[in-house]
Amino acid sequence: VSIQLLCLWGGLLAGLGFAVGGLAVGQPDGPVALFYVGAFVNGFGLGQCYVALIKGTVAWWGQAAGFCSGYLMAITSSGSFVFAWINHLLINHFDRPNDKAHGPTYALIYTGLAVCLAQVAGGLLLSTPPSEPGAQALSSQKSVPSSNLDTLDILKCWQFWALVLIWFANLTPMLGILSVLADLLQNSKHFHQSSLASANFLALVNGSGVGFRLVVGLVVERVGAKRLFCVALAGQIVMFALLPTVAIHDGQVGVLITLLCLSKMCYGAGFTLINLLAGIVFGKQNGTQVFSLCIFSFALSAIFSPNMMQAVSLNAYCYLSAGVAAVGLATLFLIRDSHHSGFNSQPDQTSDKPDSSGESLVQPNPEDLEEPLVNPAEAVSYTHLTLPTKRIV
């Protein structure tokens, strides 16, 4: 499936999901399941757009995996702080004194329309560079052993479910807080902020996470994806353990927003890192497919965290979120990269120093490409090239 078609299809589904959610909000006594249907359709559609943009970005800047992931996750989340203001304006514009659901209903519908148009327009403009004829001919050799995994192989592997748990643990704390932040700032007994101030604070929190995604992508090759993910999860533990006592209880709105901005940075870092971590664990050639399956974590957390927020007190949610992040941190130490997990069907004899994406940094000798290929039993797969093992030093 082309990346353009993925963007078009994903944009339509994402917009439809917002519209269905708006219809569910407009019927307070209607079936609750309608809201979850909208959330599922929206998440599934956005997932298609994520995968399309990953393929497109890697096609242009495939040699800089960290930048690709950080840039992609930054631009895909850039609308989160813009729509904090847009939704505020839409809700006030469509507000009806005798119908409290009228404003949020139309705000969601128009948000869905904007998201759909943006994704469709982007899909029409998105393109990939032409492939080199020589590389395409080599990659099409039928005799080359492949280390690509199919979906069933990935789902059977415990390390995939470990990645799902790790990302879920990093997403859950912030998603629950964000679902009630505006109401918390306006209507709680601890904070008494106006609706405009609440929108500004929400935009600030979301904006801090957007910029930090790109920063993480730029430094990940030097620091390492696993180390940065450890910092992100540890940060979530600390922030949510502090929130009830130093911010919420004392009504310190400045402290609250500062802690949430720091937590949002950890949250945003997870988006950049999970894509790279999938490539490290399963090999770069399987990274995009694994990430597309891991988006299940995002949908699960988006449904789970607001419901848990409604079921328990705010303080209890913060402490539970810190515990969930701690479980994710412990799980992170259990996973192994592709060189120790048996996912690579062929050994890497070119270098024992992989980069952050799991691919060797050593480039093959161009003279070797002029030699005829040996039989598959004597060949070793190197990304998309096949080189004779006897000529590799």
Side-chain angles (χ1 to χ4, degrees), residues 43-341:
F44 184 77
L46 291 177
Q48 308 305 304
C49 298
Y50 268 120
V51 174
L53 290 173
I54 289 173
K55 291 183 176 180
T57 307
V58 171
W60 285 103
W61 301 294
Q63 299 303 317
F67 168 77
C68 282
S69 184
Y71 169 75
L72 172 68
M73 296 306 167
I75 61 173
T76 53
S77 65
S78 58
S80 60
F81 66 93
V82 176
F83 274 95
W85 289 307
I86 293 177
N87 285 329
H88 170 73
L89 294 174
L90 288 173
I91 290 173
N92 288 339
H93 177 73
F94 290 106
D95 184 47
R96 299 290 184 273
N98 58 344
D99 186 2
K100 293 183 178 180
H102 191 269
T105 296
Y106 280 89
L108 282 171
I109 292 174
Y110 278 97
T111 297
L113 179 62
V115 169
C116 178
L117 291 176
Q119 295 292 344
V120 170
L124 294 174
L125 295 173
L126 192 61
S127 63
T128 56
S131 58
E132 299 179 3
Q136 186 176 4
L138 284 172
S139 62
S140 63
Q141 294 290 333
K142 300 298 183 180
S143 60
V144 177
S146 173
S147 55
N148 292 338
L149 301 173
D150 58 33
T151 301
L152 188 58
D153 290 332
I154 295 172
L155 295 177
K156 287 180 178 179
C157 179
W158 70 268
Q159 297 215 101
F160 166 74
W161 296 105
L163 290 176
V164 169
L165 176 59
I166 291 167
W167 200 20
F168 175 84
N170 193 54
L171 292 171
T172 295
M174 274 307 298
L175 285 177
I177 288 291
L178 289 175
S179 68
V180 300
L181 181 58
D183 186 64
L184 173 65
L185 292 173
Q186 294 179 58
N187 303 321
S188 72
K189 62 181 180 180
H190 302 293
F191 309 101
H192 303 282
Q193 303 294 317
S194 66
S195 61
L196 179 59
S198 299
N200 290 335
F201 283 132
L202 181 59
L204 176 62
V205 171
N206 286 331
S208 63
V210 171
F212 199 67
R213 297 181 190 210
L214 181 57
V215 173
V216 170
L218 294 175
V219 303
V220 67
E221 291 188 5
R222 295 185 178 183
V223 181
K226 287 184 179 180
R227 292 191 184 94
L228 285 174
F229 222 136
C230 283
V231 174
L233 287 166
Q236 297 279 40
I237 297 171
V238 173
M239 302 308 161
F240 276 83
L242 292 175
L243 272 175
T245 54
V246 305
I248 298 174
H249 182 268
D250 296 333
Q252 300 291 328
V253 65
V255 177
L256 172 69
I257 298 303
T258 299
L259 291 177
L260 289 181
C261 284
L262 293 173
S263 182
K264 184 68 173 182
M265 291 180 183
C266 298
Y267 167 94
F271 276 85
T272 299
L273 296 172
I274 192 65
N275 183 30
L276 298 173
L277 197 60
I280 291 174
V281 175
F282 286 88
K284 183 179 179 181
Q285 67 278 12
N286 299 302
T288 301
Q289 182 182 6
V290 174
F291 172 76
S292 66
L293 295 172
C294 283
I295 292 179
F296 168 74
S297 299
F298 191 21
L300 181 63
S301 182
I303 294 174
F304 172 78
S305 52
N307 281 280
M308 187 170 74
M309 175 67 77
Q310 297 295 328
V312 300
S313 67
L314 181 59
N315 289 349
Y317 177 83
C318 291
Y319 291 129
L320 286 172
S321 295
V324 170
V327 172
L329 181 60
T331 307
L332 184 61
F333 288 101
L334 299 178
I335 61 174
R336 298 291 181 265
D337 61 36
S338 60
H339 296 284
H340 299 90
S341 303

Side-chain angles (χ1 to χ4, degrees), residues 342-386:
F343 293 122
N344 288 340
S345 61
Q346 298 297 319
D348 184 2
Q349 301 180 23
T350 58
S351 172
D352 57 357
K353 296 181 179 180
D355 65 3
S356 62
S357 63
E359 182 182 13
S360 173
L361 298 174
V362 177
Q363 298 297 322
N365 186 349
E367 296 179 357
D368 290 333
L369 301 180
E370 300 176 0
E371 296 293 331
L373 297 176
V374 295
N375 65 67
E378 299 177 353
V380 56
S381 177
Y382 181 91
T383 313
H384 62 277
L385 305 177
T386 300

